[in-house]
Structures are given as structure tokens and as C-alpha cells.
């Protein structure tokens, strides 16, 4: 059996080894037993039921509440040559009939259903199926203890009882101890075994920046994304208004960006989401409404523009990056204002005490001065033996020092201004600034005026926040953010208590750190080739109308760009390349790799751009072909690709409307597959391959 599962992993999915626990879960399922799988997002849960589904001689039912995710998963399975389909409220009655038909004829290995559809058909055609396995994804939805309760899920138990000898598998990424028990009971799992994999996502770097002004924050974000050109990322904001503001700001700077929030109509949300998944939009600025139904593997960064409400949400949100296992970066901004705002929200709602407690934990995490991953994982009940080395604290351990005198200076400043002034005035007075406000209030007469000249404004700011975090100062948001001294603060002022402070990160340190991160992230791949491969992937994905990462994920492309496979065997050795993908796409990708390796190795400009440059000089396709020693078909294919990418190319000059519509009909009749030969044959070999390319490009771009 082991051999068979391993062969499937390699031949169908193109992976060399199982991840921890996958093999055990698969074996247990094949034996017909129930399992409970708790793994983080991106941990590889789906594989646990997909391989048994391929082994069983019958159908596997997958229940999932996330309709958009279902389509993606089915597309991904199909790309690997697996017979799968889905059944939910998004499909037409005709499509429903086709799916039912296929299922009844035994032509499906996996069928994905939303819980409400499952319930509505459980007494009709579903009963006729030869069900061998049932997987309940997002199983936490059955528990009222969780944060995402869905009433339809509670009816799954009846379904379970109707199939007493079929193995059931519950899968989720979030469930604490009490929720786990509840889920098992609610779903009626029998003697199920719990499998918990580590929640550590080592490839995600963690960074937190506190108390940054809005202007600076936006500037930092711009710098951040400019250093990561063409990479996908999500920026989470607290409010809808914020998402629009930040997106507009970035759009003005010509970034590929869109906003997303629950106030938009469903069609628009769907469009924004699809464009992001297809890599047509690089950055999404969104409220936390975004992301649930998204399984995009190449999200390279997640930025939190505001403090999240709790660590569960935060971990889930950052977990949407780096699902392909490659390095991804996460950056959290917070300030006390977010915290106060959330506390006020919590006051009005249900479960106030619990929500506030969770919010406090979130803040403690943000303010922590020790390894952040350790804190995060210990919150989820997992203990790291060593510091992670991939968070901001590990990279720049804070230097502590005896800060009692510095603290006394600040506290005494606050006291002498009658606890009526805010942080900016305090620092200006300590530093002996000479501005109108200070004059008006005659603060230059204070004893504390100028006693902190030797410390920069930003460092003072950092220290005062540390004092607030240590409970020495209270920031009164209700009184224009005036600073007040707490009872412990008074003790420090009287010399009854000593205080440790940490040295703020200087901007120099930050710069150094960014350099290090960049080197690690890029590795040794050939970026020109990688860009080329991404282009082909994009082109194919448009032609086949599936998200780009379903063709190959970034990790596979990067491996191609570093290992340069040019034979079938070498290509199959790339992680993520199974038989089916090899057959479908291998040649197209290897062609580029071969060209890259041999003839055009010293070439700097991508081949399509060379064509584009000649085109702009006014050469005809035939002249370009001659000059470049390439076939005219290749030139037409370049021009089509350039056109799809949005370059100014007039394809209509080379093809008549009549030919376009002929190609269109054949293309549609053949299921919109981008295999040129069948189209060529269907059109009685009367229309050239080059024209077929052009025709398809025009159809795809203009529909
Ligand atoms: P989850 O459902 O737990 O969020 P997925 O099942 O979507 O995670 O898996 C995340 C990614 O990891 C997918 O791209 C999947 O193909 C990949 N993956 C799963 N198992 C393996 C494996 N054994 N080796 C390499 N990649 C794997
Ligand atoms: Zn760390």
C-alpha cells in the first residue's frame, strides 16, 4: 500500500515526499477509519483525502462551505488529470444535471458539495452513489464554540449516520481543545484519531512596527512594495474607508492595486478576487472580509495596516501568504489608537470579556521584545525549543539598559505641565524646542525644559511609548491624548522603583536588515528566465481560463528557472510536476528553457520584447521573422502574447474578422482548449497556426 500511495504522490501530484502526518492519515483512511485533521492553512490537508480518493473504487464526497474555493480545488485536480467536479448554488441547472449524470455513471473520483446542497440531495441521487469516503473541510463550522458557526453543518451528523461504515475525515485549521471535542461529537465521528501538525510556518517572516504616523506608514508601505515589484500581496485595513484610501494612494503611484470590502456588491467583489487570483491585480487592500475563499499559493506578503482583533485572526491572515512554501513576508503596524477603538467596539457587543482578553493578548504580542513566533505558537499550544531567527525581534534583539533617570525626566515633564499635554509637546519641551506653542504657554520656564536635548525626537517617542506599555503613563484618548502619570509612575518619580528600557531600532539598523532579507528571498534562480516562464504560464492560464498557479505554482517555476530541465525526465523531477502536467505543458516550458540554455543565453531582453521593438520600428511580421531567423508563426505568437499583456499591437491588421469568427467557433466547440492542432484540423487546415493564435488572442482579450 505504501508503495501505491507514494507512486500516486509522485506521478499525479509531482511531489517527492509526504509532509508530516499525511501518510499516516492516508493509511488510516484507506483502512476505513475516521480521522480528525488539524493542520495550518497551506499545511497540505487536501492531499489527505485526495490520495485515498484515487485509491478507492468509488466516489469521495468533500463538503466545504467555501464556494469559490471549491472551483479552484476542482480546477487544480483536473489540471492533474483527476476526475473531479463540484455541486453548489453557483452552477446552472444544466450543469447540475451533467454533474449528477457523471456521478451516477461512476465517472467522478471526487465530488465537492456545499453543506446545504448535500442536505438537499442526500435523500435523492446522492443515495445511489458508491460513496467510499467523506471529507468535511472547515469542520470548525459545525461548532458553536468556534468563530464561524454554520447551522447547515449540524445536519451532517444525519448524513454520517446514514453511512456507518464509510470513513469520515474532519479537517480544519482552527479548533482549540473544547472545540475539537464538540466537532467530533457534532459530526458523529467514531473512534477518530486526532492528527495535529505543527502550526509553525517557518517560511513566513514576522515583523511588527508600532506607533508609526499615518504618513510615515504609507511611505513605508510604498517603499516595501516597490522593493517587491510584481509580487502579490494583501494589505488588511480596519475600515472600509481605509481600504479605499490606501488603494487610491497606491493607485496614484501606478501600482497594480484594488480594494475589497463587504460594502461592495457581490459581482464587483467576485471580479476583484478573480483578478487577484489570476495575477491581473497584484495587491489587494481589504478588510478581513477578504481571503476566506482564497487559495492563491503565491501571495508573497501580508501587511496589516491596523492591529488585528485577536491572534487567531492575525495568524490566519498572515497564513494566506507563502502557501507554496517559499519565503513570504508579513508586516504588522499597530498603534494604541487601534487598540482603544477595538476596546470600545468590544464594549457594545457580546462576549465582551473574552474579546477584550483576546485583544490584550494581541497587543502583548505586538509589543513583545522576545521571539514573536515563540509567543504566537505558544498561544496555539505549541512550544518552540529555540528562537525562530525569522522575526524582527530575533534579527534585532533589543538592547536593554537601566532607564530610570530617563523615565524620571519624562515623568517630571508630564507632572510640571499639569498632566494636560500630549506626547509631542512633552518631547518638544524635553528637547528644548523653540516653537510658538511653547512660548504661548511659557513652558521654557519649566525646570524640565531642555533636559532631554541629547535624545532624538523619534527615540523619545519610542521611550515614552515603552513607558506607557510598562504602565507608567496613561494616554487619555478622551482628553486629546493628554499624558497622565499612573500610580506606578509616581513610584518611579519618587525613586522607589527602577525601570529597564530598550534601545529603539535606528533607521540604519532597519536598512541593514532589509538588505539581509532580500538576499535570502531571491536565492539562486535566473530571474530573466523566471519572468519568461511566468509569462508563458500567464498566457496558458488565460487560454485555459484557470488561475495561473493552477498550471504551476511559483515554487515549480523557480525550480525550473534554477534546474533548467530540458528532457521529460528532468521536467518530471521538478516538484509539482505530475504526469498530466508534463504532458500538457512540458513542451511549452521546456522550449523556452532550451532556448534560454543554448542559443540565446547571453540575451538580456526577453524574446517577445525583441519582437516588440522591431514591430515598433515598423517592420512587418514577415520582416521580423526574417531578421530574427524565426518562423512567422512564432512572431504571430509573440504578437498575440504582447497583445494579451496589453501592449499596443494591432492584431486586426493581420487577420480578417471573418477568420476570427471561424477560429472563435472552432475554439469554443473544442472546449476552449489551447491546443492549436485540433482547431487547425477542424478548420480543414485552411487557416494557419499563426492566424489561430491571433484569433484566440483577440477573442480572449475582447470578451
Ligand atoms: P490546506 O488545505 O491545508 O490549506 P493545501 O491542501 O491547499 O493546504 O496544500 C497547500 C499546498 O501544499 C498545495 O499547493 C499542495 O499541492 C502542496 N502540498 C501538499 N502536500 C504536499 C507534499 N507532500 N509535498 C509538496 N507539496 C505538497
Ligand atoms: Zn523569532
Amino acid at each position: 500500500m505504501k508503495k501505491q500511495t507514494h507512486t500516486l504522490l509522485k506521478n499525479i501530484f509531482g511531489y517527492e515526499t509526504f509532509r508530516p502526518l499525511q501518510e499516516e492519515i492516508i493509511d488510516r483512511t484507506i483502512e476505513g477509519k475516521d480521522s480528525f485533521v488539524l493542520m495550518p492553512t497551506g499545511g497540505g490537508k487536501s492531499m489527505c483525502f485526495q490520495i485515498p480518493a484515487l485509491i478507492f473504487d468509488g466516489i469521495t464526497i468533500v463538503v466545504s462551505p467555501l464556494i469559490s474555493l471549491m472551483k479552484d480545488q476542482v480546477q487544480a485536480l483536473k489540471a492533474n488529470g483527476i476526475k473531479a467536479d463540484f455541486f453548489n448554488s453557483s452552477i446552472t441547472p444544466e450543469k447540475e444535471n451533467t454533474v449528477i449524470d457523471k456521478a451516477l455513471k461512476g465517472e467522478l473520483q471526487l465530488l465537492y458539495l456545499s453543506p446545504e446542497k448535500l442536505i438537499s440531495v442526500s435523500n435523492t441521487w446522492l443515495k445511489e452513489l458508491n460513496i467510499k469516503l467523506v471529507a468535511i473541510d472547515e469542520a470548525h463550522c459545525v461548532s458553536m464554540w468556534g468563530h464561524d458557526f454554520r447551522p447547515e453543518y449540524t445536519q451532517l451528523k444525519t448524513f454520517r449516520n446514514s453511512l456507518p461504515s464509510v470513513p469520515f475525515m474532519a479537517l480544519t485549521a482552527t479548533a482549540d481543545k473544547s472545540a475539537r471535542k464538540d466537532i467530533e461529537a457534532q459530526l458523529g465521528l467514531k473512534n477518530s484519531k486526532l492528527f495535529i501538525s505543527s502550526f509553525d510556518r517557518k517560511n513566513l517572516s514576522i515583523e511588527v512596527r508600532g506607533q508609526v504616523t499615518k504618513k510615515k506608514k504609507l511611505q513605508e508601505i510604498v517603499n516595501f512594495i516597490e522593493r517587491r515589484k510584481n509580487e502579490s500581496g494583501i494589505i488588511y485595513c480596519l475600515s472600509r474607508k481605509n481600504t479605499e484610501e490606501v488603494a487610491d494612494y497606491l493607485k496614484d503611484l501606478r501600482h497594480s492595486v484594488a480594494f475589497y470590502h463587504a460594502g461592495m456588491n457581490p459581482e464587483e467583489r467576485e471580479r476583484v478576487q478573480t483578478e487577484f487570483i489570476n495575477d491581473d491585480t497584484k495587491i489587494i487592500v481589504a478588510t478581513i472580509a477578504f481571503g476566506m475563499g482564497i487559495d492563491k499559493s503565491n501571495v508573497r506578503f501580508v501587511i496589516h495596516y491596523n492591529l488585528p482583533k485577536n491572534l487567531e485572526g492575525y495568524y490566519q491572515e498572515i497564513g494566506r501568504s507563502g502557501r507554496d512554501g517559499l519565503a513570504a513576508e508579513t508586516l504588522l503596524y499597530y498603534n494604541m489608537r487601534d487598540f482603544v477603538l477595538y476596546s470600545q467596539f468590544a464594549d457594545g457587543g457580546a462576549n465582551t470579556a473574552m474579546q477584550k482578553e483576546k485583544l490584550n493578548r494581541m497587543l502583548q504580542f505586538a509589543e513583545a521584545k522576545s521571539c514573536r513566533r515563540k509567543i504566537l505558537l505558544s498561544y496555539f499550544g505549541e512550544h518552540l525549543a529555540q528562537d525562530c531567527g525569522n522575526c524582527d525581534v530575533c534579527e534585532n534583539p533589543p538592547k536593554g539598559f537601566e532607564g530610570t533617570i530617563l523615565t524620571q525626566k519624562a515623568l517630571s515633564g508630564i507632572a510640571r505641565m499639569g498632566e494636560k499635554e500630549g506626547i509631542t509637546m512633552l518631547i518638544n519641551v524635553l528637547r528644548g524646542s523653540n516653537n510658538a506653542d511653547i512660548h504661548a504657554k511659557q513652558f521654557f520656564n519649566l525646570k524640565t525644559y531642555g533636559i532631554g536635548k541629547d535624545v532624538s525626537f523619534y527615540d523619545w517617542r519610542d521611550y515614552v511609548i515603552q513607558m506607557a506599555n510598562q504602565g507608567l503613563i496613561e494616554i487619555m484618548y478622551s482628553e486629546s491624548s493628554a499624558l497622565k502619570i499612573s500610580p506606578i509612575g509616581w513610584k518611579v518619580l519618587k525613586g522607589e522603583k527602577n525601570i529597564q528600557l530598550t534601545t529603539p531600532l535606528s533607521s540604519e539598523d532597519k536598512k541593514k536588515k532589509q538588505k539581509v532579507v532580500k538576499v535570502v528571498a531571491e536565492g539562486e534562480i535566473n530571474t530573466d528566465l523566471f519572468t519568461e516562464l511566468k509569462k508563458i504560464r500567464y498566457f496558458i492560464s488565460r487560454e485555459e481560463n484557470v488561475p495561473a498557479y493552477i498550471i504551476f505554482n511559483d515554487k515549480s517555476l523557480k525550480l525550473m528557472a534554477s534546474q533548467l530541465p530540458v528532457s521529460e525526465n528532468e521536467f518530471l523531477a521538478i516538484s509539482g510536476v505530475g504526469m498530466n502536467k508534463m504532458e500538457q505543458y512540458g513542451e511549452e516550458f521546456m522550449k523556452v528553457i532550451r532556448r534560454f540554455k543554448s542559443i540565446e543565453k547571453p540575451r538580456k531582453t526577453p524574446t517577445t520584447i525583441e519582437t516588440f521593438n522591431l514591430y515598433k520600428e515598423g517592420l512587418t511580421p514577415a520582416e521580423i521573422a526574417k531578421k530574427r531567423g524565426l518562423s512567422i508563426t512564432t512572431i504571430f505568437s509573440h504578437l498575440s502574447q504582447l497583445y494579451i499583456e496589453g501592449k499596443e499591437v494591432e492584431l486586426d491588421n493581420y487577420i480578417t474578422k471573418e477568420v476570427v469568427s471561424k477560429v472563435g467557433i472552432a475554439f469554443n466547440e473544442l472546449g476552449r482548449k489551447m491546443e492549436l492542432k485540433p482547431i487547425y484540423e477542424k478548420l480543414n487546415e485552411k487557416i494557419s497556426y499563426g492566424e489561430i493564435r491571433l484569433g484566440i488572442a483577440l477573442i480572449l482579450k475582447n470578451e
Side-chain angles (χ1 to χ4, degrees):
M1 193 61 86
K2 277 224 160 61
K3 240 185 143 280
Q4 191 189 0
T5 56
H6 191 261
T7 309
L8 288 170
L9 181 72
K10 180 66 198 153
N11 287 353
I12 305 293
F13 298 96
Y15 297 132
E16 211 52 58
T17 49
F18 281 109
R19 292 203 180 137
L21 303 182
Q22 283 180 332
E23 205 167 6
E24 266 182 87
I25 298 167
I26 291 167
D27 288 349
R28 182 179 166 86
T29 306
I30 296 169
E31 284 170 21
K33 296 177 185 159
D34 290 358
S35 301
F36 191 124
V37 179
L38 191 54
M39 283 186 186
T41 311
K45 287 188 283 300
S46 323
M47 196 66 79
C48 301
F49 58 80
Q50 286 169 353
I51 289 202
L54 301 183
I55 289 176
F56 286 135
D57 175 24
I59 193 168
T60 291
I61 299 293
V62 185
V63 184
S64 164
L66 305 172
I67 290 180
S68 51
L69 205 72
M70 242 183 241
K71 189 169 147 210
D72 275 13
Q73 291 211 348
V74 167
Q75 281 177 336
L77 288 166
K78 284 184 173 168
N80 281 324
I82 298 169
K83 288 176 274 173
D85 225 316
F86 63 94
F87 196 86
N88 62 35
S89 58
S90 78
I91 63 175
T92 61
E94 295 83 59
K95 173 93 186 23
E96 280 195 357
N97 285 331
T98 333
V99 175
I100 297 171
D101 210 42
K102 277 200 270 182
L104 287 170
K105 281 192 191 143
E107 288 171 7
L108 290 179
Q109 293 165 297
L110 289 112
L111 176 61
Y112 285 69
L113 285 136
S114 59
E116 53 279 4
K117 279 284 175 191
L118 178 109
I119 292 155
S120 76
V121 302
S122 60
N123 280 321
T124 60
W125 55 270
L126 203 71
K127 277 174 102 162
E128 313 297 320
L129 303 181
N130 180 19
I131 298 173
K132 285 292 169 73
L133 167 64
V134 177
I136 316 271
D137 211 355
E138 312 293 336
H140 59 274
C141 292
V142 76
S143 170
M144 285 206 260
W145 300 107
H147 51 85
D148 195 17
F149 174 60
R150 310 216 176 189
E152 315 85 65
Y153 260 66
T154 53
Q155 296 184 49
L156 292 174
K157 192 169 185 175
T158 321
F159 181 56
R160 200 276 169 274
N161 292 337
S162 72
L163 296 167
S165 56
V166 170
F168 267 59
M169 184 186 292
L171 306 103
T172 176
T174 59
D176 61 24
K177 268 201 185 122
S178 53
R180 276 175 226 159
K181 283 223 160 60
D182 193 32
I183 294 168
E184 295 198 338
Q186 296 290 338
L187 291 177
L189 298 188
K190 288 181 305 190
N191 301 320
S192 82
K193 184 166 171 185
L194 175 65
F195 295 89
I196 306 183
S197 78
S198 168
F199 272 61
D200 189 3
R201 301 275 310 277
K202 294 190 177 62
N203 60 322
L204 309 188
S205 70
I206 304 175
E207 180 173 354
V208 181
R209 296 184 192 169
Q211 308 299 333
V212 181
T213 60
K214 186 171 167 183
K215 199 171 145 206
K216 191 150 179 272
K217 184 154 72 174
L218 282 170
Q219 191 50 52
E220 286 185 6
I221 291 177
V222 170
N223 294 343
F224 184 98
I225 61 183
E226 280 179 354
R227 281 197 307 274
R228 290 158 187 83
K229 275 243 151 50
N230 290 323
E231 302 207 319
S232 281
I234 308 174
I235 302 174
Y236 282 110
C237 295
L238 177 57
S239 69
R240 295 175 184 183
K241 195 168 133 252
N242 261 172
T243 64
E244 299 189 11
E245 267 173 25
V246 175
D248 285 345
Y249 185 84
L250 298 177
K251 210 172 279 165
D252 285 347
L253 297 170
R254 306 196 156 277
H255 288 288
S256 164
V257 57
F259 62 82
Y260 181 107
H261 56 64
M264 293 154 63
N265 65 44
E267 295 80 46
E268 214 170 331
R269 290 211 308 251
E270 173 83 23
R271 183 181 56 78
V272 169
Q273 185 165 317
T274 309
E275 287 179 358
F276 180 63
I277 289 175
N278 289 340
D279 285 339
D280 289 328
T281 302
K282 295 294 175 191
I283 299 166
I284 295 290
V285 190
T287 57
I288 53 169
F290 183 76
M292 259 306 255
I294 292 200
D295 184 8
K296 182 173 161 64
S297 69
N298 64 342
V299 176
R300 294 268 70 85
F301 61 84
V302 168
I303 298 177
H304 280 90
Y305 191 79
N306 306 98
L307 187 75
K309 276 186 227 167
N310 51 50
L311 286 167
E312 284 91 343
Y314 169 69
Y315 202 52
Q316 212 163 37
E317 283 140 27
I318 64 171
R320 297 195 174 118
S321 64
R323 290 174 74 133
D324 51 15
L326 297 174
E329 291 172 81
T330 78
L331 175 57
L332 159 67
Y333 284 100
Y334 78 99
N335 61 45
M336 291 307 286
R337 228 170 269 273
D338 303 338
F339 178 75
V340 173
L341 205 66
Y342 273 134
S343 298
Q344 286 165 355
F345 283 156
D347 271 339
N351 268 341
T352 303
M354 185 176 83
Q355 282 193 32
K356 280 199 164 174
E357 178 50 31
K358 292 198 164 186
L359 183 60
N360 280 331
R361 293 290 292 265
M362 187 68 232
L363 185 67
Q364 282 164 13
F365 166 82
E367 288 176 338
K369 302 276 180 190
S370 62
C371 175
R372 297 200 196 273
R373 198 177 311 265
K374 255 191 176 165
I375 301 175
L376 203 51
L377 288 171
S378 81
Y379 180 76
F380 294 109
E382 202 175 314
H383 296 283
L384 273 190
Q386 280 179 344
D387 286 355
C388 78
N390 196 16
C391 74
D392 54 343
V393 182
C394 282
E395 276 170 27
N396 278 288
K399 300 180 193 86
F401 64 92
E402 160 53 53
T404 309
I405 294 188
L406 205 70
T407 307
Q408 285 169 338
K409 286 182 183 172
L411 293 176
S412 127
I414 296 170
R416 282 170 205 271
M417 292 188 293
E419 300 185 297
K420 285 197 177 65
E421 301 295 332
I423 190 164
T424 308
M425 178 61 93
L426 170 68
I427 298 173
N428 282 334
V429 167
L430 292 171
R431 301 190 71 245
S433 304
N434 208 349
N435 69 27
D437 263 2
I438 290 180
H439 269 270
K441 295 186 176 170
Q442 305 227 322
F443 284 154
F444 48 79
N445 285 330
L446 297 180
K447 261 201 168 150
T448 42
Y449 183 76
I451 56 168
K453 265 201 184 73
D454 49 333
V455 177
S456 77
F457 187 92
Y458 283 105
D459 284 358
W460 261 124
R461 203 181 156 82
D462 193 287
Y463 292 136
V464 175
I465 301 301
Q466 289 186 46
M467 293 169 205
N469 290 345
Q470 293 194 36
L472 313 176
I473 295 173
E474 276 180 75
I475 304 176
M476 307 303 289
Y477 290 95
S478 52
E479 298 170 28
S480 324
S481 300
L483 304 178
K484 293 208 185 319
I485 302 171
S486 74
I488 323 172
W490 284 111
K491 277 193 176 168
V492 179
L493 204 49
K494 288 186 211 148
E496 293 166 13
K497 186 176 162 57
N498 291 338
I499 289 299
Q500 285 284 119
L501 292 174
T502 56
T503 315
L505 260 188
S506 75
S507 23
E508 207 40 48
D509 288 340
K510 277 189 190 163
K511 271 192 209 131
K512 263 188 234 151
K513 194 174 92 184
Q514 278 158 4
K515 270 198 197 128
V516 175
V517 170
K518 236 181 129 41
V519 175
V520 174
E522 278 178 4
E524 284 202 38
I525 65 149
N526 198 308
T527 41
D528 277 359
L529 177 57
F530 180 55
T531 313
E532 278 286 279
L533 295 173
K534 266 184 39 177
K535 270 194 207 144
I536 308 181
R537 177 179 69 176
Y538 179 78
F539 195 48
I540 300 177
S541 80
R542 296 295 75 223
E543 288 170 343
E544 300 202 347
N545 201 18
V546 296
Y549 63 86
I550 285 189
I551 312 287
F552 286 124
N553 64 23
D554 279 14
K555 191 169 185 174
S556 302
L557 289 198
K558 286 199 173 171
L559 286 167
M560 290 177 206
S562 64
Q563 299 182 1
L564 309 176
V566 290
S567 69
E568 293 205 349
N569 277 342
E570 286 170 1
F571 201 75
L572 275 171
I574 299 288
S575 172
V577 180
M579 289 296 203
N580 199 60
K581 288 190 177 174
M582 161 72 222
E583 273 164 25
Q584 283 213 36
Y585 314 119
E587 233 357 84
E588 273 192 79
F589 284 84
M590 282 193 285
K591 218 161 35 188
V592 176
I593 298 169
R594 281 193 206 109
R595 197 163 55 213
F596 184 85
K597 257 180 126 162
S598 54
I599 337 166
E600 305 193 51
K601 202 165 188 182
R603 193 187 67 222
K604 288 267 157 38
T605 12
T607 179
T608 54
I609 298 299
E610 267 182 43
T611 294
F612 189 45
N613 289 339
L614 294 172
Y615 173 82
K616 277 192 297 192
E617 281 172 36
L619 272 69
T620 64
E623 288 166 335
I624 301 173
K626 191 152 176 243
K627 183 150 192 171
R628 299 203 54 201
L630 297 170
S631 74
I632 184 114
T633 311
T634 307
I635 302 303
F636 277 138
S637 133
H638 289 172
L639 293 174
S640 307
Q641 197 169 327
L642 290 160
Y643 180 74
I644 292 258
E645 284 165 21
K647 298 268 183 347
E648 277 188 27
V649 178
E650 299 281 343
L651 294 189
D652 319 50
N653 292 344
Y654 314 120
I655 182 168
T656 64
K657 282 216 172 71
E658 197 196 345
V659 175
V660 175
S661 66
K662 277 189 188 155
V663 172
I665 293 165
F667 180 58
N668 283 328
E669 275 179 9
L670 290 164
R672 298 177 74 84
K673 288 226 181 67
M674 194 41 212
E675 288 156 23
L676 301 188
K677 199 156 173 231
I679 300 179
Y680 182 66
E681 282 164 0
K682 186 151 186 103
L683 295 168
N684 301 322
E685 313 191 354
K686 290 223 173 73
I687 291 171
S688 71
Y689 280 106
E691 283 175 299
I692 297 175
R693 283 258 185 211
L694 295 175
I696 292 177
L698 282 163
I699 293 158
L700 289 173
K701 188 81 195 231
N702 298 319
E703 61 193 4

